[in-house]
Amino acid sequence: KFNAISLISLSFMMMNSRSVQAAEVDLQVSCDVSSEYNVSLNKQAFVFEGAQNSKPRVVLGGGKLFLNGKQAQLSAEDQILINNFEAEMRLLVPESQKVVIDAVNIAYDALSMASANLSSNPEKVLAKYQAERSATLKELQNSKTVFMFNDDAMEDIISPIVTKFVPSIAGNAVGFAFRAMFASEKKENAMEARMDAMENELDTQIETRAKALEPLAENMCKRIHKMDQIENSLTVRFPNGKPINFLDVKNSRDLTAQN
């Protein structure tokens, strides 16, 4: 069954205590597609390269197709298909970048909210996260990578962010637990109530913002499925006779992207 949006759990347990809640972010965009290629932009050309040179290098740009550095001779029908595939790629780039940036912002908001609520110095914590967020977003905006949204794409982006901050969140959690341990009953109850409120607010925010991403992500995934249908119609082949296969859609359907 094709799902434009599916969920992958990015969970980090802060402590097994009622005073310190588990923060969980559920977010992944999956187009039910896989690719053996890494895709990047080189000026106005798309470059498809297999991991560790496992696949022939393919370059697509200006309606021209290069296979391992040699321009392919295209039939009239293939020329139309290549033009259409390239046009869809150019529409995909800003769509995929927006989904990635929104997902990264959601992850940073969740992490910073959890960490700040556990910290005795929330202003310092928030400033640290904002600096890291700015650096990450700048790196993504300057990246030449085109995210094709296979099963690992979003996880590869978000997991390093979560992994980087788990130690600091755990440290803040320990500090929070000690403060609660030595606090008066009234203050301890207030601290627990604050964590309960944070967890509820976090769940609501994440769900709302992830839901807002669905139309764009669904349209993007339809576009990728359309691109798969285009490439499957190509008759041009690699020198060894194998077909060009940029994408593998698990459950292909007749989907047309909205432009």
Side-chain angles (χ1 to χ4, degrees):
K1 182 180 178 181
F2 169 68
N3 294 309
I5 297 272
S6 65
L7 297 178
I8 186 171
S9 181
L10 295 174
S11 302
F12 45 97
M13 297 300 297
M14 296 184 291
M15 275 193 66
N16 186 18
S17 166
R18 285 199 66 226
S19 301
V20 185
Q21 299 295 327
E24 182 179 271
V25 181
D26 288 324
L27 182 66
Q28 183 192 0
V29 176
S30 175
C31 295
D32 215 11
V33 63
S34 62
S35 176
E36 296 182 3
Y37 285 99
N38 297 318
V39 190
S40 61
L41 269 172
N42 184 357
K43 297 181 179 178
Q44 292 301 308
F46 293 99
V47 181
F48 296 78
E49 295 179 292
Q52 300 178 345
N53 299 317
S54 60
K55 302 284 287 185
R57 188 173 189 265
V58 182
V59 178
L60 172 63
K64 297 178 181 179
L65 183 69
F66 294 85
L67 307 177
N68 277 339
K70 183 177 180 180
Q71 185 174 350
Q73 300 303 309
L74 303 174
S75 67
E77 292 79 7
D78 275 356
Q79 185 65 67
I80 293 172
L81 291 169
I82 285 295
N83 291 345
N84 290 341
F85 189 91
E86 183 179 352
E88 295 297 338
M89 283 289 296
R90 297 202 183 282
L91 292 169
L92 176 68
V93 171
E95 288 177 342
S96 64
Q97 188 176 56
K98 176 170 174 50
V99 171
V100 168
I101 288 174
D102 284 359
V104 166
N105 276 319
I106 291 172
Y108 269 109
D109 286 346
L111 290 163
S112 61
M113 182 184 294
S115 191
N117 273 276
L118 291 166
S119 175
S120 59
N121 191 347
E123 293 81 8
K124 182 179 179 180
V125 168
L126 291 173
K128 175 184 177 182
Y129 276 88
Q130 185 55 43
E132 291 287 348
R133 180 206 306 261
S134 297
T136 300
L137 292 177
K138 183 177 180 180
E139 182 179 348
L140 285 171
Q141 288 165 347
N142 292 334
S143 174
K144 299 300 182 182
T145 299
V146 179
F147 300 101
M148 297 300 288
F149 290 91
N150 56 32
D151 291 340
D152 299 324
M154 189 64 76
E155 185 178 4
D156 289 344
I157 297 165
I158 302 297
S159 288
I161 298 173
V162 176
T163 301
K164 182 175 184 178
F165 289 107
V166 163
S168 65
I169 292 175
N172 288 336
V174 171
F176 184 93
F178 271 105
R179 292 196 301 276
M181 186 184 302
F182 295 106
S184 65
E185 182 177 353
K186 181 178 180 180
K187 187 173 182 180
E188 180 182 358
N189 290 338
M191 293 171 75
E192 290 191 13
R194 190 179 81 192
M195 292 307 300
D196 287 339
M198 182 272 289
E199 183 181 14
N200 292 334
E201 182 182 357
L202 187 59
D203 287 345
T204 300
Q205 285 189 14
I206 297 303
E207 183 178 354
T208 300
R209 292 171 66 184
K211 190 74 175 177
L213 270 179
E214 285 187 6
L216 176 61
E218 182 174 356
N219 190 61
M220 180 190 69
C221 290
K222 287 180 179 179
R223 190 179 307 288
I224 291 176
H225 279 236
K226 183 179 179 181
M227 290 163 58
D228 180 64
Q229 292 175 356
I230 293 171
E231 74 158 24
N232 288 341
S233 300
L234 288 169
T235 60
V236 64
R237 295 290 185 263
F238 286 113
N240 62 8
K242 291 186 178 181
I244 297 171
N245 188 33
F246 297 127
L247 302 165
D248 286 308
V249 173
K250 295 178 182 177
N251 296 294
S252 183
R253 294 173 66 180
D254 187 12
L255 299 170
T256 302
Q258 301 171 4
N259 295 322

